Amino acid sequence: MNTPFTTLPRRGFLAGAGTSLAALALGGCQTVQNYANDPVGAANTIGGLFASDGKAGSVDESALGQGLYPRLVAQSGGAYTNARIQSAMRSFSEPLFRVSRRQFRWEITVLDDNSPNAWALPGGKLGINKGMLRYVASESELAAVISHEMGHAELSHQIAELESKGFTDKLVQFGKGVLQTEINAQVSGLNDLTSRGLDALTPAVSELITSGYSRSHEREADAYVLTVFRATGYDPRQASAIFKTLDALVPPGTKATTSLFSTHPGTRDRIELIDEAAARLPAGGGSAGSADFATIKAVFPTRRYYLRNPAEAS
C-alpha cells in the first residue's frame, strides 16, 4: 500500500548544478581510464564541472529526462499493468502535448501508486499516479493535471530548481566518491559511470518533482494550464476544479507539499489566481465525450474526499 500525500520537505539546490549534472550523468567528464591514470587531472576535471556557471539552456533536458525516466517510473511503483489504460492516457494527452513549443518527445505513464499526484521530468517525461485518476471527475480536470505538469517541463522549472542553492553539495560528494572508486578499481569504460551518475541524481530529482516547486514556478505552471485550455478548447473556468478537490482532500492544518498541492504557496491562493485569470478569457466548449476518458473512468471511478481518512486508502 502506498501512503497518500507523503509530506516531503521543500529543499533548495546550488547554482551551477545544471551543467555539472548533465556532464556527469551523460558522459561529459573524463573517461574512467583517465581517472585511474591521472587522478589529479580527473579531480581537476570534476572540480571544474562543479565550479562552472550552468544555465538552463546549457543542459540537454531531453537526454537528462530520458535517462531518469525509467528510474523515476520504477521508483514510483512502476507502470500500471493495464495496456488499455496506458494507451487511453497517451491518446488523451496527445492534443495537450501538441500545444508545446518545445521539441520534446512527450511521454506519459500511469503509475501504480495510490497517492493523488503527478510529476514531470525535464524533456517532457510525465508520470501520473493511478491515485490521481480516482479524483479527476471530468475531462477538464484530467487535462488540468497534465497541463500543469507540462508547464513545469515546458518552462524548464526542474533545471532552474536544480540550479538553485543546495544540490551541488550532494553532487560534489558523489563526484569524490566516484573518483576514488574508479581509481581503486581501475575500471574501464564510461557506461557504468553514466549509469551510476543517473542513479545518484534520481533521489534528489524525485524529491523535487514530487514535493513541489517554488512559489513562482507553481504559479507559472498554473498559468500554463490556461494556455493549454485556450489552445485545446477546454473551458478555462474549469481549470481550477482539480485544485479545489485536492484542497478538500487534505485535512485542515496538514503541512503537505506535492507537485500539485501545496501549503506554500497555499493552494487556495493559487485557485483564486487561476479563477481570476480564467474569468478574463472566453469560455471553451471542452472535449466532452472522450472515449479515452471513459476508458480511464471505467477502471478508476471518481472518489470524493476519500483521503480525509488515509487509513482507508488501499
Side-chain angles (χ1 to χ4, degrees):
M1 179 179 74
N2 294 304
T3 303
F5 272 101
T6 301
T7 302
L8 294 172
R10 195 184 302 270
R11 295 182 183 175
F13 300 88
L14 269 182
T19 298
S20 59
L21 69 87
L24 181 60
L26 302 173
C29 48
Q30 288 187 343
T31 65
V32 177
Q33 294 97 320
N34 287 342
Y35 281 1
N37 297 331
D38 183 13
V40 174
N44 289 337
T45 298
I46 292 178
L49 287 171
F50 290 118
S52 60
D53 294 325
K55 291 181 169 44
S58 67
V59 177
D60 189 337
E61 296 177 58
S62 294
L64 183 59
Q66 187 68 40
L68 290 171
Y69 197 39
R71 290 166 168 80
L72 267 297
V73 168
Q75 183 175 300
S76 303
Y80 182 63
T81 56
N82 183 317
R84 287 189 65 202
I85 291 296
Q86 298 291 355
S87 177
M89 181 57 65
R90 288 192 297 269
S91 181
F92 181 90
S93 303
E94 283 175 2
L96 309 176
F97 291 159
R98 286 197 290 268
V99 176
S100 171
R101 297 183 178 181
R102 305 294 298 274
Q103 298 301 309
F104 294 152
R105 294 182 59 185
W106 290 89
E107 294 183 56
I108 188 166
T109 300
V110 177
L111 305 167
D112 196 3
D113 187 314
N114 287 314
S115 59
N117 204 6
W119 48 257
L121 288 171
K125 307 302 182 186
L126 276 61
I128 183 167
N129 294 353
K130 68 180 184 182
M132 176 58 71
L133 300 181
R134 294 190 174 110
Y135 293 96
V136 289
S138 67
E139 295 172 43
S140 60
E141 291 187 13
L142 179 56
V145 172
I146 296 168
S147 300
H148 178 90
E149 297 306 328
M150 282 181 63
H152 287 309
E154 181 84 4
L155 301 171
S156 300
H157 287 164
Q158 303 91 347
I159 302 301
E161 297 262 353
L162 290 172
E163 289 179 340
S164 64
K165 186 175 175 64
F167 190 55
T168 301
D169 287 339
K170 298 177 183 179
L171 286 184
V172 168
Q173 293 305 313
F174 165 73
K176 290 178 180 177
V178 168
L179 175 62
Q180 190 59 53
T181 297
E182 302 303 344
I183 292 172
N184 294 340
Q186 302 276 320
V187 179
S188 63
L190 188 59
N191 291 338
D192 187 52
L193 175 61
T194 303
S195 176
R196 284 185 291 116
L198 289 168
D199 288 344
L201 292 176
T202 298
V205 174
S206 175
E207 180 181 327
L208 165 65
I209 65 175
T210 58
S211 66
Y213 297 77
S214 68
R215 180 186 298 266
S216 61
H217 287 159
E218 291 291 11
R219 288 178 173 169
E220 287 176 2
D222 293 344
Y224 189 76
V225 174
L226 296 178
T227 297
V228 176
F229 272 36
R230 290 187 67 184
T232 54
Y234 286 102
D235 188 350
R237 290 158 184 78
Q238 299 300 314
S240 68
I242 188 59
F243 298 98
K244 294 173 182 175
T245 296
L246 291 171
D247 186 56
L249 280 175
V250 181
T254 300
K255 294 189 180 300
T257 300
T258 73
S259 180
L260 293 163
F261 174 89
S262 67
T263 53
H264 303 290
T267 296
R268 294 181 185 180
D269 292 339
R270 291 167 58 188
I271 289 169
E272 290 181 6
L273 289 174
I274 295 171
D275 287 344
E276 289 174 4
R280 297 191 292 268
L281 300 175
S287 301
S290 163
D292 297 315
F293 186 74
T295 297
I296 292 168
K297 286 286 94 181
V299 176
F300 299 107
T302 303
R303 295 173 177 168
R304 291 288 189 183
Y305 313 133
Y306 183 75
L307 290 184
R308 281 195 176 278
N309 183 1
E312 296 179 2
S314 60

